[in-house]
Amino acid sequence: MLVQFRSCNSDLDYARFTLFFLQNRHAFSPSFSLADSLIHLLGFLSDSQVILIEEGSTKVIGWGHYQFMNAEREAAPDGETAFIHSVFVSLDYRSSRVFLRGFRYLAEQIQAVNHQARYVEFCARCEDDYLNRLYSKFAQVVGEQEGHFGQENIYRVELSRLVAYLGMTK
């Protein structure tokens, strides 16, 4: 199984992502309706970066979606924070190796797309013990928010620290 990561660059890429997102919307919540999903997609695609996770070059098995934000937490292409909104990988492809490779690719893309980026932020539902344990190994909880699917911890890590943690050279 050859898992690869690449940024969405064409209308076809975004169409493949959108179809896969809609087919897997219940991974976030059983109550995430088709209408909710479409509104969500329309609200973020114009100012976000999307990474396709594929097996080979034809089968989408996941995605990563992030957005650059300024200090006021508004979308800004040159913002100093890359906020990861969601990452999803089909159950059959989840492993520590895919997680690590994907996080490295994501960090590389953040560095390549925006040289002003200094921080990476992401959330985990408060009741998700596994993710909270994992994320606390390399990031700090900087707040809490009411998310679409429950209360969430907001994590933050300096990009340089994340790069070091992932064993990458800058």
Side-chain angles (χ1 to χ4, degrees):
M1 145 179 81
L2 175 64
V3 174
Q4 59 187 31
F5 306 86
R6 65 182 185 83
S7 295
C8 281
N9 293 314
S10 68
D11 288 344
L12 179 59
D13 290 342
Y14 284 103
R16 293 177 67 221
F17 158 70
T18 299
L19 179 60
F20 188 79
F21 181 91
L22 293 174
Q23 291 170 336
N24 291 279
R25 69 186 185 276
H26 292 119
F28 292 105
S29 171
S31 63
F32 204 35
S33 70
L34 179 59
D36 292 334
S37 302
L38 291 171
I39 290 168
H40 178 72
L41 287 167
L42 290 171
F44 79 71
L45 274 180
S46 64
D47 57 6
S48 293
Q49 306 289 322
V50 177
I51 294 170
L52 287 176
I53 306 169
E54 301 171 309
E55 179 184 32
S57 60
T58 58
K59 182 179 180 184
V60 177
I61 60 166
W63 74 79
H65 156 232
Y66 68 98
Q67 176 180 52
F68 293 107
M69 302 176 90
N70 62 23
E72 291 78 36
R73 299 191 61 77
E74 300 166 335
D78 60 349
E80 70 173 12
T81 300
F83 187 84
I84 303 170
H85 287 282
S86 65
V87 175
F88 175 81
V89 178
S90 295
L91 193 57
D92 293 344
Y93 296 90
R94 292 180 190 170
S95 69
S96 296
R97 178 180 225 160
V98 170
F99 174 82
L100 185 59
R101 285 185 56 227
F103 224 152
R104 283 178 177 158
Y105 182 85
L106 183 68
E108 288 170 359
Q109 290 305 300
I110 290 168
Q111 291 175 315
V113 172
N114 179 1
H115 298 293
Q116 275 64 259
R118 294 187 48 222
Y119 303 100
V120 178
E121 290 186 1
F122 42 90
C123 294
R125 286 182 301 209
C126 291
E127 73 271 2
D128 191 329
D129 293 334
Y130 173 77
L131 283 182
N132 284 288
R133 268 192 317 275
L134 176 65
Y135 294 161
S136 66
K137 291 178 181 179
F138 58 87
Q140 302 273 324
V141 174
V142 294
E144 209 172 277
Q145 70 182 15
E146 180 64 34
H148 294 291
F149 309 110
Q151 200 65 15
E152 300 173 332
N153 287 322
I154 304 169
Y155 285 89
R156 183 177 212 180
V157 62
E158 287 186 26
L159 182 56
S160 60
R161 183 172 177 213
L162 178 62
V163 165
Y165 179 81
L166 295 172
M168 303 165 57
T169 56
K170 198 166 182 183

